[in-house]
Amino acid sequence: DTGVSQDPRHKITKRGQNVTFRCDPISEHNRLYWYRQTLGQGPEFLTYFQNEAQLEKSRLLSDRFSAERPKGSFSTLEIQRTEQGDSAMYLCASSRQRGGRGIGNTIYFGEGSWLTVV
Amino acid sequence: DQQVKQNSPSLSVQEGRISILNCDYTNSMFDYFLWYKKYPAEGPTFLISISSIKDKNEDGRFTVFLNKSAKHLSLHIVPSQPGDSAVYFCAASVSGNTPLVFGKGTRLSVIA
């Protein structure tokens, strides 16, 4: 399977604990995105990387959230001191951007990682 | 503020008929639009896209229409099949180079 892979698929944690999600993008995709989705909402952008550089962070990404993409391959999203409001599906996606104009560059999503904070 | 709006939370259509899902956007800089389909507990799956240089794009049973002056796009599914029952998200970006902005989705139910 050469799609976007996320791990774990499900995580239940107690409030105040730290959690980390991992994403392996499609091979040779240079962009990697993190989104969050809650019930009844569309995916909401959190942050994205081009290779190893983090290019943009949403204001949704509080200082308890940190994302990394060492060596421009896989990425991790860590949530520290989890709160019940962090319960959501965390989606990773990747794309291959060619040059400055990305028309036609489709973003492909993984299966998502469900987080439940109790 | 919601830059991409899907004003119909749900839609029911009979099998074999046409499904029309609508999407409006407010940011005039958006010039690349995509539709995704999502089943419960899965990630969104890409369906079809359109750039602002076109007003229509077809792929099999799926056609997307873009009306730039009205800042409106629609997804037509003909004929609708029960397997099309899912949540459909409209998304937009600037030059395909900025992170996608999504609508809240429309739940399509195709009734046999």
Side-chain angles (χ1 to χ4, degrees), chain B residues 40-58:
Chain B
E42 293 185 8
T45 302
F46 170 72
L47 269 179
I48 192 168
S49 62
I50 188 167
S51 74
S52 59
I53 60 173
K54 294 185 174 182
D55 53 19
K56 175 182 172 182
N57 189 26
E58 275 183 88

Side-chain angles (χ1 to χ4, degrees), chain A residues 9 31 35 37 97 100 102 107 110, chain B residues 36 38 41 43 95-97 100:
Chain A
R9 292 292 315 279
R31 282 204 177 174
Y35 282 80
Q37 185 175 17
Q97 300 297 111
I107 293 176
Chain B
Y36 285 82
K38 187 177 184 302
S95 301
N97 207 26
L100 294 180

Side-chain angles (χ1 to χ4, degrees), chain A residues 9-59:
Chain A
R9 292 292 315 279
H10 302 272
K11 178 73 177 178
I12 300 174
T13 191
K14 290 184 178 178
R15 190 175 53 184
Q17 298 293 305
N18 299 345
V19 296
T20 300
F21 299 110
R22 176 182 169 124
C23 173
D24 288 90
I26 293 171
S27 178
E28 296 181 358
H29 277 192
N30 55 355
R31 282 204 177 174
L32 186 148
Y33 305 81
W34 286 99
Y35 282 80
R36 179 175 70 186
Q37 185 175 17
T38 53
L39 205 61
Q41 302 293 318
E44 296 172 298
F45 168 72
L46 292 178
T47 187
Y48 84 106
F49 295 83
Q50 178 148 319
N51 300 313
E52 65 275 9
Q54 190 171 17
L55 295 189
E56 188 177 340
K57 292 192 285 188
S58 161
R59 56 186 166 81

